[in-house]
Amino acid sequence: MSLSLPDLYFRIKENGASVFRVVTDTRQNRMDLVQIANANVRNGEIRPQGGETPTAEEEAEIRAWIETRRADLAARHLQDIDRTIDFLNLSTQWAQSKATEDDLEAVSDRLLLAMHDLRTVIVRKKADRLMKERDDG
């Protein structure tokens, strides 16, 4: 363990994190985590927990963590989309060169529906952007 611990520890949850104050007792070489808040990434809410209230400095650190986490999640989402494109290409190659009739029968309907749904949304969004550009320009 490093000698320099952070003041706060963030236990990631689906919609944010449980936030703990890192408390060290150097006399007994002990460390405790005291929950002080729950941070919600979606709405930016910070709710005190465990009878503790974050200090102004801790709240600022939590808010900075929320912004960083939002940016990380947005970047990760774009990476997931890039991987999806790769998977679609690999699936095309698989369907063309390796899939058996039974393999194709097992996945074709679900795959066609998912691709149709995706295509419909993308085309509609693209048309909306083009119409907005035309109206604004």
Side-chain angles (χ1 to χ4, degrees):
M1 193 179 315
S2 74
L3 297 174
S4 176
L5 293 172
D7 295 328
L8 297 178
Y9 168 71
F10 297 85
R11 181 191 298 155
I12 305 298
K13 300 190 302 185
E14 184 176 326
N15 63 344
S18 295
V19 183
F20 296 85
R21 184 179 291 135
V22 178
V23 180
T24 57
D25 180 354
T26 55
R27 290 174 289 151
Q28 296 182 10
N29 288 330
R30 288 190 50 199
M31 178 184 73
D32 282 325
L33 299 175
V34 177
Q35 186 173 9
I36 61 170
N38 280 323
N40 187 311
V41 172
R42 292 183 192 136
N43 64 15
E45 182 181 32
I46 299 170
R47 288 191 341 255
Q49 293 292 310
E52 298 286 330
T53 302
T55 65
E57 295 82 17
E58 288 171 335
E59 188 167 328
E61 188 175 341
I62 294 168
R63 292 206 181 284
W65 179 87
I66 288 172
E67 291 307 311
T68 300
R69 182 72 176 162
R70 284 176 174 165
D72 289 347
L73 290 172
R76 191 175 297 164
H77 189 71
L78 289 175
Q79 291 169 350
D80 289 345
I81 297 301
D82 286 338
R83 278 192 295 279
T84 299
I85 294 166
D86 288 347
F87 285 134
L88 283 170
N89 283 310
L90 292 169
S91 297
T92 302
Q93 184 61 31
W94 168 82
Q96 183 177 20
S97 63
K98 295 179 183 174
T100 66
E101 292 297 319
D102 289 340
D103 291 339
L104 291 172
E105 186 61 34
V107 298
S108 291
D109 290 344
R110 290 180 298 140
L111 190 55
L112 286 168
L113 286 169
M115 290 182 341
H116 175 74
D117 185 30
L118 178 61
R119 182 185 183 283
T120 300
V121 170
I122 290 173
V123 168
R124 185 179 66 243
K125 294 283 191 173
K126 178 81 171 186
D128 290 347
R129 282 194 315 274
L130 291 172
M131 292 299 287
K132 187 177 186 307
E133 287 175 12
R134 189 190 77 192
D135 292 344
D136 290 345

